[in-house]
Amino acid sequence: MSQVMAPTGITSRDEQPAFFEAGDETLFGILTRPRTEPVDSALIMVPSAERLGYRNRVGVMLAHRLAALGHQVFRFNYRGCGESTGKAGRFRLDDPFTTDAIGATEWLRGQGVERLLYSGSCFGARTALAAAAREPATAGVIVVAMPMTDYASGGRGTMRTARAPLSSLARQTLRRKTLRGLRDRDVRRIYAEAARHKLRGLLRRSDSAGEAEKITPELLRYLTSLIERRVPLLFIYGEADSAYKEFLEARGEAGFERLLRQAGDAVEIRVIPGVLHGWTSIPAGETAVGLMTEWVCRVERRTRTA
Amino acid sequence: MSLAPRSVDFGNDRVPRPVFGDASFPERARAGVQMNANSAQTQQPAGFAVRSDPMTSTREVAGFLDAASQPDRLFVSLALPAAEPRACVVISSSLFAESARNYRREVILARALAARGIASLRYHYRGTGYSDGDPAALSFGSMCADATTAFAELRRRSPGVPTGFVGTRLGALVAAAAARDEPSAPILLWDPIATAATFFQDAIKASRAGGMIALRQLGTSSAGGDDGWAGGSLDSVGYRLPLGLRTSLEGVSLADCVGPAARPILIVTVVPSYEPTPQAETAAELLRASTASSVDLRRIEGRLSWWTSRDSWDPDEDHPATREVIARSAEWLERRLTGGPAS
């Protein structure tokens, strides 16, 4: 058993389930407390677009591990997910569930939490950053496999399809399997999205100014705001994540690279082997949990010493 | 050889009488409901979260359930009508990716039942989800013991009312086993599998598909050697399945779990129209052949992927197949448990 997966001694007896308000909805969350003296900070684990946030109890694992080391952790379900009320709608990177993360922040403030750390993966990373940028008491942010551009959940595949030449797409369209897919509502939607991406690509090509952006302006704004405030940031990617490729491309942009240089040691970038996106690899997930735990401990130690 | 659930060795997993950690809690929760505009309860007793919904006159209690003989607590979620329940239902989910995939549908079903005056209890098996417990110790025996714990708690809270059981995929086996002590109780099964072999085959397929994607990306693979069970567990799309779970389910069949008693059973399956014989249909035929139960099969047009991520990101509530599954299921349970809608 890896060190990360090893029992921590923390159990549900150290946890407080809660319903709390976020916008018009009532969300569900669980606060994990350390057994040591009360602390005035907490890590908010913002869920990804997985319906329950994290696979294979990664959330529980991280919360218990940090609590065993004296930290407080809050994990919650988005609206329309898990035990929360409401409807999640379609997860879109350009429309993070900031209201939900702010609701969690407010509930924690009511529990006496004064400093907030945020973590999130993929869609959750974008939501965590959006909430952290708005929150004056942000003490640190961890973003895992964070995409740098905007697309809807599942949209990356359609974007890839749309890059194929028109002749190839025409051939694909006439295949029996493709035509059979038209009977399925979800598949029809995927086809329509691929067509939209293709059309957009063709229009962009005819417009010389239409160079695709490498980093979403909104994301750049959030990062700029946090870096200017000297908020510690940890980026974690799997080296096989397509989001990591996007990250490297974004670093090719002068503005983003300058921002990272300006941040100095406030920003850490860690790359681990394999695929981390979606937490589909247990070894990669365990490594990431280890890095997150170590980083939170270090940032908190520094803050408490200061 | 089939292993009937009665012969499963529950060992220390059998629990006599589970109670909430705070014994006075149910009473306090009943008495102390304070609602804000958004239906959340502002006063929450330690260890539990309570939410009331004035729109549907229902209440939800989520927290950790103590079982007297064991240290590990179960995460449970009760959906309750504001008035005394007319019936109660235990909902047993599947595991891992299948559980995550179906989670919201089970929440929606529980809420729909509460609105019809039927209490329900959902739970996370020990070693999974928010529950305590060692993930490596997960077995069919421990899952059945958790169902027994859940059922005992529901019975304690709703004594004397008719009981029903709901199970999805692998959870169908657990639900059927838990229902054995209630010979006439109706059982509702969503996409049940005849044996656990299907569950593990799907997990292995997903593991291999995940491995192929990883290989395509950087020469890494999440799939193990041979059939993927090297090292005493199978890693599949981010979930670790213990070998002990597979061993504990060897020889267990849905028909054996249901047993010979005559009872109403409804099987609901979501499949595309071009699928000639869905797995649920096979399960229904096996049950018809081996039990005296009346088994109805309702086939709903749609497509669910249990282990892979291809799925619609429409809100579950709005998905036509989900809406139909919930409506048919709630309607059937209400009719079977209470004779029909309350006047």
Side-chain angles (χ1 to χ4, degrees), chain A residues 1 5 10-26 28-30 49-52 54-57 60 64 75-91 107 153-154 160 180 183-187 189-190 239-242 273-275 278-283 286, chain B residues 36 38-42 44-51 60-64 66 70-73 75 77 96 99-101 103-105 107 111 122 124 127-135 214 216-218 220 222 235-240 273-274 301 303 307 309-320:
Chain A
M1 188 185 287
M5 292 284 271
I10 298 292
T11 69
S12 68
R13 288 170 211 283
D14 305 295
E15 297 189 312
Q16 166 75 50
F19 282 113
F20 62 93
E21 290 171 62
D24 294 334
E25 302 302 339
T26 304
F28 178 76
I30 295 179
E50 287 277 326
R51 285 158 205 240
L52 289 177
Y54 292 89
R55 283 171 197 239
N56 198 35
R57 307 222 293 178
V60 176
H64 287 193
R75 56 190 201 272
F76 68 94
N77 300 146
Y78 283 131
R79 71 187 95 138
C81 297
E83 306 292 329
S84 298
T85 67
K87 292 179 186 176
R90 197 157 190 232
F91 292 91
W107 184 82
S153 175
R160 218 176 11 242
R180 200 171 64 180
R183 293 193 286 188
D184 187 311
R185 180 172 176 261
D186 296 336
V187 177
R189 188 202 306 276
I190 291 167
E239 62 182 336
D241 289 338
S242 48
V275 179
W279 302 90
T280 55
S281 156
I282 292 174
E286 286 176 351
Chain B
N36 62 20
N38 295 324
S39 87
Q41 190 183 341
T42 48
Q44 299 180 342
F48 297 92
V50 183
R51 180 183 80 81
E60 285 180 23
V61 180
F64 297 100
D66 272 329
Q70 49 193 290
D72 297 332
R73 301 198 298 176
F75 177 80
S77 181
F96 308 119
S99 165
R101 183 70 67 229
Y103 200 92
R104 193 63 180 171
R105 293 181 199 110
V107 171
R111 289 176 183 165
R122 294 177 295 105
H124 295 181
T128 75
Y130 302 152
S131 290
D132 289 332
D134 178 6
R216 203 175 59 202
Q217 284 174 321
L218 252 195
T220 58
S222 61
D235 287 358
S236 181
V237 291
Y239 297 95
R240 181 159 287 167
S273 51
Y274 52 80
E301 171 68 20
R303 198 156 98 165
W307 276 90
S309 61
R310 185 208 165 278
D311 201 0
S312 163
W313 282 104
D314 284 338
D316 279 314
E317 284 89 337
D318 288 348
H319 211 272

Side-chain angles (χ1 to χ4, degrees), chain A residues 148-159:
Chain A
M148 306 304 281
T149 53
D150 292 342
Y151 48 85
S153 175
R156 215 162 10 198
T158 56
M159 281 158 72

Side-chain angles (χ1 to χ4, degrees), chain B residues 118-173:
Chain B
I118 299 171
S120 70
L121 189 147
R122 294 177 295 105
Y123 60 100
H124 295 181
Y125 301 109
R126 274 172 298 144
T128 75
Y130 302 152
S131 290
D132 289 332
D134 178 6
L138 183 68
S139 68
F140 185 54
S142 73
M143 291 167 77
C144 289
D146 295 343
T148 306
T149 302
F151 177 49
E153 175 59 21
L154 198 54
R155 264 265 158 268
R156 189 182 70 78
R157 295 178 62 92
S158 312
V161 298
T163 310
F165 295 85
V166 177
T168 303
R169 294 276 290 176
L170 189 64
L173 276 66

